[in-house]
C-alpha cells in the first residue's frame, strides 16, 4: 500500500467521526457540514462523499433530518444527532482517545529509539 493510499484510508475512516463531531453542537445542512470540516480541519471533502454518508447515518437512525424552507432560495435538509447518534459519538470518542494514546506511545518510543 502506498503512503497516499494509507492517507486516504485514514481520512475515509475518520470522516464519519468528523461528521458526528461537527453535528455534536447543533444541526447543520450538508454544505454547511462540508464547509465546517474544510475550515476547521483542512479536511477537503466533496458532496459525493458526504451526502451518501449522511444518508447512511440517517437510515441507521444515527441522524434525524428536517427540511427547512425559509432560510434560502431552496429548502435545505438539516441533520442532527439522535439519541443513538450521541451514544455512537460518545463511544467513538472513547475509542479514539484510547487508540490515539496507544499510537502516541508507540511514536514516542520510536523517537527515543531513533
Amino acid at each position: 500500500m502506498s503512503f497516499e493510499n494509507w492517507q486516504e484510508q485514514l481520512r475515509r475512516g475518520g470522516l464519519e467521526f468528523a461528521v458526528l463531531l461537527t453535528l455534536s453542537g447543533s444541526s447543520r445542512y450538508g454544505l454547511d457540514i462540508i464547509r465546517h470540516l474544510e475550515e476547521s480541519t483542512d479536511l477537503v471533502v466533496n458532496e459525493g462523499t458526504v451526502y451518501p454518508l449522511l444518508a447512511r447515518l440517517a437510515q441507521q437512525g444515527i441522524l434525524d433530518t428536517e427540511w427547512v424552507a425559509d432560510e434560502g432560495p431552496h429548502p435545505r435538509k438539516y441533520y442532527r444527532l439522535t439519541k443513538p447518534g450521541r451514544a455512537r459519538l460518545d463511544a467513538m470518542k472513547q475509542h479514539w482517545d484510547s487508540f490515539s494514546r496507544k499510537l502516541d506511545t508507540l511514536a514516542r518510543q520510536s523517537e527515543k529509539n531513533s
Side-chain angles (χ1 to χ4, degrees), residues 68-92:
V68 176
D70 60 346
E71 290 191 7
H74 305 287
R76 291 178 174 161
K77 190 181 217 179
Y78 277 77
Y79 299 86
R80 70 179 165 277
L81 292 176
T82 60
K83 190 173 183 178
R86 290 202 179 277
R88 178 180 287 189
L89 178 57
D90 289 342
M92 291 174 99

mmCIF file with all atom_site columns, all heavy atoms in Angstrom, residues 68-92:
data_model
loop_
_atom_site.group_PDB
_atom_site.id
_atom_site.type_symbol
_atom_site.label_atom_id
_atom_site.label_alt_id
_atom_site.label_comp_id
_atom_site.label_asym_id
_atom_site.label_entity_id
_atom_site.label_seq_id
_atom_site.pdbx_PDB_ins_code
_atom_site.Cartn_x
_atom_site.Cartn_y
_atom_site.Cartn_z
_atom_site.occupancy
_atom_site.B_iso_or_equiv
_atom_site.pdbx_formal_charge
_atom_site.auth_seq_id
_atom_site.auth_comp_id
_atom_site.auth_asym_id
_atom_site.auth_atom_id
_atom_site.pdbx_PDB_model_num
ATOM 1   N N   . VAL A 1 68 ? -35.922 22.471 5.850  1.00 0.00 ? 68 VAL A N   1
ATOM 2   C CA  . VAL A 1 68 ? -36.235 23.839 6.265  1.00 0.00 ? 68 VAL A CA  1
ATOM 3   C C   . VAL A 1 68 ? -36.281 24.679 5.000  1.00 0.00 ? 68 VAL A C   1
ATOM 4   O O   . VAL A 1 68 ? -35.297 24.760 4.259  1.00 0.00 ? 68 VAL A O   1
ATOM 5   C CB  . VAL A 1 68 ? -35.183 24.382 7.253  1.00 0.00 ? 68 VAL A CB  1
ATOM 6   C CG1 . VAL A 1 68 ? -35.476 25.827 7.605  1.00 0.00 ? 68 VAL A CG1 1
ATOM 7   C CG2 . VAL A 1 68 ? -35.149 23.510 8.501  1.00 0.00 ? 68 VAL A CG2 1
ATOM 8   N N   . ALA A 1 69 ? -37.423 25.319 4.766  1.00 0.00 ? 69 ALA A N   1
ATOM 9   C CA  . ALA A 1 69 ? -37.628 26.034 3.506  1.00 0.00 ? 69 ALA A CA  1
ATOM 10  C C   . ALA A 1 69 ? -37.430 27.533 3.612  1.00 0.00 ? 69 ALA A C   1
ATOM 11  O O   . ALA A 1 69 ? -37.339 28.212 2.601  1.00 0.00 ? 69 ALA A O   1
ATOM 12  C CB  . ALA A 1 69 ? -39.032 25.745 2.984  1.00 0.00 ? 69 ALA A CB  1
ATOM 13  N N   . ASP A 1 70 ? -37.350 28.090 4.795  1.00 0.00 ? 70 ASP A N   1
ATOM 14  C CA  . ASP A 1 70 ? -37.377 29.545 4.915  1.00 0.00 ? 70 ASP A CA  1
ATOM 15  C C   . ASP A 1 70 ? -36.016 30.205 5.095  1.00 0.00 ? 70 ASP A C   1
ATOM 16  O O   . ASP A 1 70 ? -35.929 31.371 5.428  1.00 0.00 ? 70 ASP A O   1
ATOM 17  C CB  . ASP A 1 70 ? -38.292 29.958 6.063  1.00 0.00 ? 70 ASP A CB  1
ATOM 18  C CG  . ASP A 1 70 ? -37.846 29.405 7.404  1.00 0.00 ? 70 ASP A CG  1
ATOM 19  O OD1 . ASP A 1 70 ? -37.003 28.501 7.420  1.00 0.00 ? 70 ASP A OD1 1
ATOM 20  O OD2 . ASP A 1 70 ? -38.356 29.873 8.439  1.00 0.00 ? 70 ASP A OD2 1
ATOM 21  N N   . GLU A 1 71 ? -34.926 29.503 4.838  1.00 0.00 ? 71 GLU A N   1
ATOM 22  C CA  . GLU A 1 71 ? -33.605 30.076 5.078  1.00 0.00 ? 71 GLU A CA  1
ATOM 23  C C   . GLU A 1 71 ? -32.854 30.463 3.818  1.00 0.00 ? 71 GLU A C   1
ATOM 24  O O   . GLU A 1 71 ? -31.774 31.019 3.897  1.00 0.00 ? 71 GLU A O   1
ATOM 25  C CB  . GLU A 1 71 ? -32.748 29.099 5.886  1.00 0.00 ? 71 GLU A CB  1
ATOM 26  C CG  . GLU A 1 71 ? -33.219 28.962 7.299  1.00 0.00 ? 71 GLU A CG  1
ATOM 27  C CD  . GLU A 1 71 ? -32.208 28.209 8.139  1.00 0.00 ? 71 GLU A CD  1
ATOM 28  O OE1 . GLU A 1 71 ? -31.117 27.921 7.652  1.00 0.00 ? 71 GLU A OE1 1
ATOM 29  O OE2 . GLU A 1 71 ? -32.542 27.937 9.291  1.00 0.00 ? 71 GLU A OE2 1
ATOM 30  N N   . GLY A 1 72 ? -33.374 30.181 2.683  1.00 0.00 ? 72 GLY A N   1
ATOM 31  C CA  . GLY A 1 72 ? -32.666 30.498 1.448  1.00 0.00 ? 72 GLY A CA  1
ATOM 32  C C   . GLY A 1 72 ? -33.595 30.320 0.264  1.00 0.00 ? 72 GLY A C   1
ATOM 33  O O   . GLY A 1 72 ? -34.793 30.077 0.431  1.00 0.00 ? 72 GLY A O   1
ATOM 34  N N   . PRO A 1 73 ? -33.035 30.405 -0.924 1.00 0.00 ? 73 PRO A N   1
ATOM 35  C CA  . PRO A 1 73 ? -33.875 30.274 -2.120 1.00 0.00 ? 73 PRO A CA  1
ATOM 36  C C   . PRO A 1 73 ? -34.407 28.855 -2.315 1.00 0.00 ? 73 PRO A C   1
ATOM 37  O O   . PRO A 1 73 ? -35.411 28.667 -2.989 1.00 0.00 ? 73 PRO A O   1
ATOM 38  C CB  . PRO A 1 73 ? -32.944 30.678 -3.257 1.00 0.00 ? 73 PRO A CB  1
ATOM 39  C CG  . PRO A 1 73 ? -31.564 30.477 -2.734 1.00 0.00 ? 73 PRO A CG  1
ATOM 40  C CD  . PRO A 1 73 ? -31.646 30.691 -1.250 1.00 0.00 ? 73 PRO A CD  1
ATOM 41  N N   . HIS A 1 74 ? -33.744 27.884 -1.705 1.00 0.00 ? 74 HIS A N   1
ATOM 42  C CA  . HIS A 1 74 ? -34.167 26.487 -1.835 1.00 0.00 ? 74 HIS A CA  1
ATOM 43  C C   . HIS A 1 74 ? -34.233 25.862 -0.439 1.00 0.00 ? 74 HIS A C   1
ATOM 44  O O   . HIS A 1 74 ? -33.469 26.242 0.446  1.00 0.00 ? 74 HIS A O   1
ATOM 45  C CB  . HIS A 1 74 ? -33.163 25.695 -2.680 1.00 0.00 ? 74 HIS A CB  1
ATOM 46  C CG  . HIS A 1 74 ? -32.919 26.297 -4.027 1.00 0.00 ? 74 HIS A CG  1
ATOM 47  N ND1 . HIS A 1 74 ? -33.839 26.251 -5.039 1.00 0.00 ? 74 HIS A ND1 1
ATOM 48  C CD2 . HIS A 1 74 ? -31.853 26.980 -4.523 1.00 0.00 ? 74 HIS A CD2 1
ATOM 49  C CE1 . HIS A 1 74 ? -33.362 26.873 -6.105 1.00 0.00 ? 74 HIS A CE1 1
ATOM 50  N NE2 . HIS A 1 74 ? -32.152 27.331 -5.811 1.00 0.00 ? 74 HIS A NE2 1
ATOM 51  N N   . PRO A 1 75 ? -35.131 24.897 -0.260 1.00 0.00 ? 75 PRO A N   1
ATOM 52  C CA  . PRO A 1 75 ? -35.169 24.201 1.036  1.00 0.00 ? 75 PRO A CA  1
ATOM 53  C C   . PRO A 1 75 ? -33.833 23.510 1.307  1.00 0.00 ? 75 PRO A C   1
ATOM 54  O O   . PRO A 1 75 ? -33.141 23.068 0.392  1.00 0.00 ? 75 PRO A O   1
ATOM 55  C CB  . PRO A 1 75 ? -36.283 23.166 0.857  1.00 0.00 ? 75 PRO A CB  1
ATOM 56  C CG  . PRO A 1 75 ? -37.071 23.623 -0.304 1.00 0.00 ? 75 PRO A CG  1
ATOM 57  C CD  . PRO A 1 75 ? -36.146 24.404 -1.179 1.00 0.00 ? 75 PRO A CD  1
ATOM 58  N N   . ARG A 1 76 ? -33.473 23.449 2.571  1.00 0.00 ? 76 ARG A N   1
ATOM 59  C CA  . ARG A 1 76 ? -32.239 22.774 2.989  1.00 0.00 ? 76 ARG A CA  1
ATOM 60  C C   . ARG A 1 76 ? -32.579 21.637 3.927  1.00 0.00 ? 76 ARG A C   1
ATOM 61  O O   . ARG A 1 76 ? -33.439 21.774 4.791  1.00 0.00 ? 76 ARG A O   1
ATOM 62  C CB  . ARG A 1 76 ? -31.321 23.759 3.707  1.00 0.00 ? 76 ARG A CB  1
ATOM 63  C CG  . ARG A 1 76 ? -30.756 24.810 2.816  1.00 0.00 ? 76 ARG A CG  1
ATOM 64  C CD  . ARG A 1 76 ? -29.904 25.764 3.602  1.00 0.00 ? 76 ARG A CD  1
ATOM 65  N NE  . ARG A 1 76 ? -29.248 26.697 2.711  1.00 0.00 ? 76 ARG A NE  1
ATOM 66  C CZ  . ARG A 1 76 ? -28.750 27.845 3.102  1.00 0.00 ? 76 ARG A CZ  1
ATOM 67  N NH1 . ARG A 1 76 ? -28.819 28.215 4.364  1.00 0.00 ? 76 ARG A NH1 1
ATOM 68  N NH2 . ARG A 1 76 ? -28.162 28.643 2.229  1.00 0.00 ? 76 ARG A NH2 1
ATOM 69  N N   . LYS A 1 77 ? -31.880 20.550 3.757  1.00 0.00 ? 77 LYS A N   1
ATOM 70  C CA  . LYS A 1 77 ? -32.061 19.397 4.626  1.00 0.00 ? 77 LYS A CA  1
ATOM 71  C C   . LYS A 1 77 ? -31.064 19.500 5.765  1.00 0.00 ? 77 LYS A C   1
ATOM 72  O O   . LYS A 1 77 ? -29.853 19.472 5.547  1.00 0.00 ? 77 LYS A O   1
ATOM 73  C CB  . LYS A 1 77 ? -31.843 18.097 3.851  1.00 0.00 ? 77 LYS A CB  1
ATOM 74  C CG  . LYS A 1 77 ? -32.238 16.847 4.596  1.00 0.00 ? 77 LYS A CG  1
ATOM 75  C CD  . LYS A 1 77 ? -31.961 15.626 3.731  1.00 0.00 ? 77 LYS A CD  1
ATOM 76  C CE  . LYS A 1 77 ? -33.007 14.582 3.906  1.00 0.00 ? 77 LYS A CE  1
ATOM 77  N NZ  . LYS A 1 77 ? -32.746 13.406 3.052  1.00 0.00 ? 77 LYS A NZ  1
ATOM 78  N N   . TYR A 1 78 ? -31.580 19.621 6.968  1.00 0.00 ? 78 TYR A N   1
ATOM 79  C CA  . TYR A 1 78 ? -30.737 19.726 8.158  1.00 0.00 ? 78 TYR A CA  1
ATOM 80  C C   . TYR A 1 78 ? -30.600 18.358 8.804  1.00 0.00 ? 78 TYR A C   1
ATOM 81  O O   . TYR A 1 78 ? -31.544 17.562 8.826  1.00 0.00 ? 78 TYR A O   1
ATOM 82  C CB  . TYR A 1 78 ? -31.343 20.708 9.161  1.00 0.00 ? 78 TYR A CB  1
ATOM 83  C CG  . TYR A 1 78 ? -30.999 22.142 8.853  1.00 0.00 ? 78 TYR A CG  1
ATOM 84  C CD1 . TYR A 1 78 ? -31.636 22.830 7.833  1.00 0.00 ? 78 TYR A CD1 1
ATOM 85  C CD2 . TYR A 1 78 ? -30.018 22.803 9.576  1.00 0.00 ? 78 TYR A CD2 1
ATOM 86  C CE1 . TYR A 1 78 ? -31.311 24.141 7.544  1.00 0.00 ? 78 TYR A CE1 1
ATOM 87  C CE2 . TYR A 1 78 ? -29.678 24.119 9.291  1.00 0.00 ? 78 TYR A CE2 1
ATOM 88  C CZ  . TYR A 1 78 ? -30.330 24.779 8.286  1.00 0.00 ? 78 TYR A CZ  1
ATOM 89  O OH  . TYR A 1 78 ? -29.993 26.069 8.005  1.00 0.00 ? 78 TYR A OH  1
ATOM 90  N N   . TYR A 1 79 ? -29.424 18.115 9.347  1.00 0.00 ? 79 TYR A N   1
ATOM 91  C CA  . TYR A 1 79 ? -29.101 16.855 10.013 1.00 0.00 ? 79 TYR A CA  1
ATOM 92  C C   . TYR A 1 79 ? -28.780 17.160 11.467 1.00 0.00 ? 79 TYR A C   1
ATOM 93  O O   . TYR A 1 79 ? -28.136 18.153 11.778 1.00 0.00 ? 79 TYR A O   1
ATOM 94  C CB  . TYR A 1 79 ? -27.885 16.195 9.353  1.00 0.00 ? 79 TYR A CB  1
ATOM 95  C CG  . TYR A 1 79 ? -28.101 15.873 7.909  1.00 0.00 ? 79 TYR A CG  1
ATOM 96  C CD1 . TYR A 1 79 ? -27.854 16.822 6.916  1.00 0.00 ? 79 TYR A CD1 1
ATOM 97  C CD2 . TYR A 1 79 ? -28.565 14.628 7.521  1.00 0.00 ? 79 TYR A CD2 1
ATOM 98  C CE1 . TYR A 1 79 ? -28.056 16.532 5.578  1.00 0.00 ? 79 TYR A CE1 1
ATOM 99  C CE2 . TYR A 1 79 ? -28.782 14.327 6.178  1.00 0.00 ? 79 TYR A CE2 1
ATOM 100 C CZ  . TYR A 1 79 ? -28.526 15.288 5.219  1.00 0.00 ? 79 TYR A CZ  1
ATOM 101 O OH  . TYR A 1 79 ? -28.730 14.991 3.893  1.00 0.00 ? 79 TYR A OH  1
ATOM 102 N N   . ARG A 1 80 ? -29.236 16.289 12.353 1.00 0.00 ? 80 ARG A N   1
ATOM 103 C CA  . ARG A 1 80 ? -28.897 16.418 13.772 1.00 0.00 ? 80 ARG A CA  1
ATOM 104 C C   . ARG A 1 80 ? -28.762 15.018 14.365 1.00 0.00 ? 80 ARG A C   1
ATOM 105 O O   . ARG A 1 80 ? -29.361 14.059 13.886 1.00 0.00 ? 80 ARG A O   1
ATOM 106 C CB  . ARG A 1 80 ? -29.916 17.252 14.525 1.00 0.00 ? 80 ARG A CB  1
ATOM 107 C CG  . ARG A 1 80 ? -31.247 16.598 14.712 1.00 0.00 ? 80 ARG A CG  1
ATOM 108 C CD  . ARG A 1 80 ? -32.214 17.498 15.514 1.00 0.00 ? 80 ARG A CD  1
ATOM 109 N NE  . ARG A 1 80 ? -33.561 17.007 15.383 1.00 0.00 ? 80 ARG A NE  1
ATOM 110 C CZ  . ARG A 1 80 ? -34.380 17.272 14.366 1.00 0.00 ? 80 ARG A CZ  1
ATOM 111 N NH1 . ARG A 1 80 ? -33.974 18.041 13.396 1.00 0.00 ? 80 ARG A NH1 1
ATOM 112 N NH2 . ARG A 1 80 ? -35.585 16.761 14.323 1.00 0.00 ? 80 ARG A NH2 1
ATOM 113 N N   . LEU A 1 81 ? -27.967 14.955 15.421 1.00 0.00 ? 81 LEU A N   1
ATOM 114 C CA  . LEU A 1 81 ? -27.757 13.673 16.091 1.00 0.00 ? 81 LEU A CA  1
ATOM 115 C C   . LEU A 1 81 ? -29.014 13.231 16.816 1.00 0.00 ? 81 LEU A C   1
ATOM 116 O O   . LEU A 1 81 ? -29.704 14.044 17.441 1.00 0.00 ? 81 LEU A O   1
ATOM 117 C CB  . LEU A 1 81 ? -26.624 13.784 17.112 1.00 0.00 ? 81 LEU A CB  1
ATOM 118 C CG  . LEU A 1 81 ? -25.216 13.986 16.579 1.00 0.00 ? 81 LEU A CG  1
ATOM 119 C CD1 . LEU A 1 81 ? -24.240 14.181 17.735 1.00 0.00 ? 81 LEU A CD1 1
ATOM 120 C CD2 . LEU A 1 81 ? -24.787 12.808 15.730 1.00 0.00 ? 81 LEU A CD2 1
ATOM 121 N N   . THR A 1 82 ? -29.294 11.947 16.742 1.00 0.00 ? 82 THR A N   1
ATOM 122 C CA  . THR A 1 82 ? -30.353 11.350 17.543 1.00 0.00 ? 82 THR A CA  1
ATOM 123 C C   . THR A 1 82 ? -29.727 10.878 18.856 1.00 0.00 ? 82 THR A C   1
ATOM 124 O O   . THR A 1 82 ? -28.510 10.963 19.042 1.00 0.00 ? 82 THR A O   1
ATOM 125 C CB  . THR A 1 82 ? -30.957 10.140 16.816 1.00 0.00 ? 82 THR A CB  1
ATOM 126 O OG1 . THR A 1 82 ? -29.909 9.175  16.612 1.00 0.00 ? 82 THR A OG1 1
ATOM 127 C CG2 . THR A 1 82 ? -31.590 10.531 15.490 1.00 0.00 ? 82 THR A CG2 1
ATOM 128 N N   . LYS A 1 83 ? -30.547 10.342 19.737 1.00 0.00 ? 83 LYS A N   1
ATOM 129 C CA  . LYS A 1 83 ? -30.014 9.781  20.981 1.00 0.00 ? 83 LYS A CA  1
ATOM 130 C C   . LYS A 1 83 ? -29.026 8.643  20.682 1.00 0.00 ? 83 LYS A C   1
ATOM 131 O O   . LYS A 1 83 ? -27.927 8.612  21.236 1.00 0.00 ? 83 LYS A O   1
ATOM 132 C CB  . LYS A 1 83 ? -31.152 9.316  21.888 1.00 0.00 ? 83 LYS A CB  1
ATOM 133 C CG  . LYS A 1 83 ? -30.705 8.951  23.271 1.00 0.00 ? 83 LYS A CG  1
ATOM 134 C CD  . LYS A 1 83 ? -31.892 8.656  24.174 1.00 0.00 ? 83 LYS A CD  1
ATOM 135 C CE  . LYS A 1 83 ? -31.410 8.355  25.579 1.00 0.00 ? 83 LYS A CE  1
ATOM 136 N NZ  . LYS A 1 83 ? -32.517 8.121  26.491 1.00 0.00 ? 83 LYS A NZ  1
ATOM 137 N N   . PRO A 1 84 ? -29.382 7.708  19.780 1.00 0.00 ? 84 PRO A N   1
ATOM 138 C CA  . PRO A 1 84 ? -28.391 6.688  19.420 1.00 0.00 ? 84 PRO A CA  1
ATOM 139 C C   . PRO A 1 84 ? -27.152 7.292  18.742 1.00 0.00 ? 84 PRO A C   1
ATOM 140 O O   . PRO A 1 84 ? -26.047 6.773  18.887 1.00 0.00 ? 84 PRO A O   1
ATOM 141 C CB  . PRO A 1 84 ? -29.141 5.765  18.454 1.00 0.00 ? 84 PRO A CB  1
ATOM 142 C CG  . PRO A 1 84 ? -30.582 5.970  18.761 1.00 0.00 ? 84 PRO A CG  1
ATOM 143 C CD  . PRO A 1 84 ? -30.705 7.403  19.205 1.00 0.00 ? 84 PRO A CD  1
ATOM 144 N N   . GLY A 1 85 ? -27.323 8.392  18.023 1.00 0.00 ? 85 GLY A N   1
ATOM 145 C CA  . GLY A 1 85 ? -26.194 9.070  17.396 1.00 0.00 ? 85 GLY A CA  1
ATOM 146 C C   . GLY A 1 85 ? -25.241 9.645  18.429 1.00 0.00 ? 85 GLY A C   1
ATOM 147 O O   . GLY A 1 85 ? -24.021 9.556  18.286 1.00 0.00 ? 85 GLY A O   1
ATOM 148 N N   . ARG A 1 86 ? -25.803 10.227 19.484 1.00 0.00 ? 86 ARG A N   1
ATOM 149 C CA  . ARG A 1 86 ? -24.956 10.755 20.565 1.00 0.00 ? 86 ARG A CA  1
ATOM 150 C C   . ARG A 1 86 ? -24.217 9.622  21.268 1.00 0.00 ? 86 ARG A C   1
ATOM 151 O O   . ARG A 1 86 ? -23.053 9.752  21.628 1.00 0.00 ? 86 ARG A O   1
ATOM 152 C CB  . ARG A 1 86 ? -25.786 11.551 21.556 1.00 0.00 ? 86 ARG A CB  1
ATOM 153 C CG  . ARG A 1 86 ? -26.275 12.849 20.970 1.00 0.00 ? 86 ARG A CG  1
ATOM 154 C CD  . ARG A 1 86 ? -26.628 13.876 22.011 1.00 0.00 ? 86 ARG A CD  1
ATOM 155 N NE  . ARG A 1 86 ? -27.060 15.084 21.340 1.00 0.00 ? 86 ARG A NE  1
ATOM 156 C CZ  . ARG A 1 86 ? -26.246 16.015 20.858 1.00 0.00 ? 86 ARG A CZ  1
ATOM 157 N NH1 . ARG A 1 86 ? -24.954 15.880 20.998 1.00 0.00 ? 86 ARG A NH1 1
ATOM 158 N NH2 . ARG A 1 86 ? -26.711 17.081 20.247 1.00 0.00 ? 86 ARG A NH2 1
ATOM 159 N N   . ALA A 1 87 ? -24.906 8.494  21.437 1.00 0.00 ? 87 ALA A N   1
ATOM 160 C CA  . ALA A 1 87 ? -24.262 7.335  22.066 1.00 0.00 ? 87 ALA A CA  1
ATOM 161 C C   . ALA A 1 87 ? -23.118 6.833  21.187 1.00 0.00 ? 87 ALA A C   1
ATOM 162 O O   . ALA A 1 87 ? -22.040 6.487  21.694 1.00 0.00 ? 87 ALA A O   1
ATOM 163 C CB  . ALA A 1 87 ? -25.279 6.225  22.314 1.00 0.00 ? 87 ALA A CB  1
ATOM 164 N N   . ARG A 1 88 ? -23.332 6.786  19.868 1.00 0.00 ? 88 ARG A N   1
ATOM 165 C CA  . ARG A 1 88 ? -22.261 6.344  18.970 1.00 0.00 ? 88 ARG A CA  1
ATOM 166 C C   . ARG A 1 88 ? -21.090 7.321  19.032 1.00 0.00 ? 88 ARG A C   1
ATOM 167 O O   . ARG A 1 88 ? -19.931 6.909  19.082 1.00 0.00 ? 88 ARG A O   1
ATOM 168 C CB  . ARG A 1 88 ? -22.745 6.219  17.532 1.00 0.00 ? 88 ARG A CB  1
ATOM 169 C CG  . ARG A 1 88 ? -21.586 5.804  16.612 1.00 0.00 ? 88 ARG A CG  1
ATOM 170 C CD  . ARG A 1 88 ? -21.958 5.650  15.179 1.00 0.00 ? 88 ARG A CD  1
ATOM 171 N NE  . ARG A 1 88 ? -22.738 4.455  14.970 1.00 0.00 ? 88 ARG A NE  1
ATOM 172 C CZ  . ARG A 1 88 ? -23.047 3.995  13.759 1.00 0.00 ? 88 ARG A CZ  1
ATOM 173 N NH1 . ARG A 1 88 ? -22.654 4.622  12.681 1.00 0.00 ? 88 ARG A NH1 1
ATOM 174 N NH2 . ARG A 1 88 ? -23.766 2.910  13.617 1.00 0.00 ? 88 ARG A NH2 1
ATOM 175 N N   . LEU A 1 89 ? -21.390 8.614  19.016 1.00 0.00 ? 89 LEU A N   1
ATOM 176 C CA  . LEU A 1 89 ? -20.317 9.605  19.093 1.00 0.00 ? 89 LEU A CA  1
ATOM 177 C C   . LEU A 1 89 ? -19.534 9.462  20.388 1.00 0.00 ? 89 LEU A C   1
ATOM 178 O O   . LEU A 1 89 ? -18.306 9.506  20.381 1.00 0.00 ? 89 LEU A O   1
ATOM 179 C CB  . LEU A 1 89 ? -20.887 11.022 18.959 1.00 0.00 ? 89 LEU A CB  1
ATOM 180 C CG  . LEU A 1 89 ? -19.865 12.153 19.082 1.00 0.00 ? 89 LEU A CG  1
ATOM 181 C CD1 . LEU A 1 89 ? -18.747 12.022 18.058 1.00 0.00 ? 89 LEU A CD1 1
ATOM 182 C CD2 . LEU A 1 89 ? -20.567 13.499 18.954 1.00 0.00 ? 89 LEU A CD2 1
ATOM 183 N N   . ASP A 1 90 ? -20.216 9.269  21.492 1.00 0.00 ? 90 ASP A N   1
ATOM 184 C CA  . ASP A 1 90 ? -19.524 9.076  22.771 1.00 0.00 ? 90 ASP A CA  1
ATOM 185 C C   . ASP A 1 90 ? -18.617 7.847  22.727 1.00 0.00 ? 90 ASP A C   1
ATOM 186 O O   . ASP A 1 90 ? -17.480 7.891  23.190 1.00 0.00 ? 90 ASP A O   1
ATOM 187 C CB  . ASP A 1 90 ? -20.524 8.953  23.927 1.00 0.00 ? 90 ASP A CB  1
ATOM 188 C CG  . ASP A 1 90 ? -21.217 10.262 24.252 1.00 0.00 ? 90 ASP A CG  1
ATOM 189 O OD1 . ASP A 1 90 ? -20.717 11.339 23.836 1.00 0.00 ? 90 ASP A OD1 1
ATOM 190 O OD2 . ASP A 1 90 ? -22.267 10.213 24.918 1.00 0.00 ? 90 ASP A OD2 1
ATOM 191 N N   . ALA A 1 91 ? -19.116 6.757  22.152 1.00 0.00 ? 91 ALA A N   1
ATOM 192 C CA  . ALA A 1 91 ? -18.308 5.538  22.033 1.00 0.00 ? 91 ALA A CA  1
ATOM 193 C C   . ALA A 1 91 ? -17.110 5.774  21.119 1.00 0.00 ? 91 ALA A C   1
ATOM 194 O O   . ALA A 1 91 ? -16.000 5.311  21.407 1.00 0.00 ? 91 ALA A O   1
ATOM 195 C CB  . ALA A 1 91 ? -19.164 4.383  21.511 1.00 0.00 ? 91 ALA A CB  1
ATOM 196 N N   . MET A 1 92 ? -17.324 6.504  20.027 1.00 0.00 ? 92 MET A N   1
ATOM 197 C CA  . MET A 1 92 ? -16.225 6.798  19.106 1.00 0.00 ? 92 MET A CA  1
ATOM 198 C C   . MET A 1 92 ? -15.174 7.666  19.787 1.00 0.00 ? 92 MET A C   1
ATOM 199 O O   . MET A 1 92 ? -13.967 7.456  19.589 1.00 0.00 ? 92 MET A O   1
ATOM 200 C CB  . MET A 1 92 ? -16.751 7.487  17.848 1.00 0.00 ? 92 MET A CB  1
ATOM 201 C CG  . MET A 1 92 ? -17.577 6.578  16.959 1.00 0.00 ? 92 MET A CG  1
ATOM 202 S SD  . MET A 1 92 ? -18.332 7.465  15.589 1.00 0.00 ? 92 MET A SD  1
ATOM 203 C CE  . MET A 1 92 ? -17.166 7.072  14.303 1.00 0.00 ? 92 MET A CE  1
#
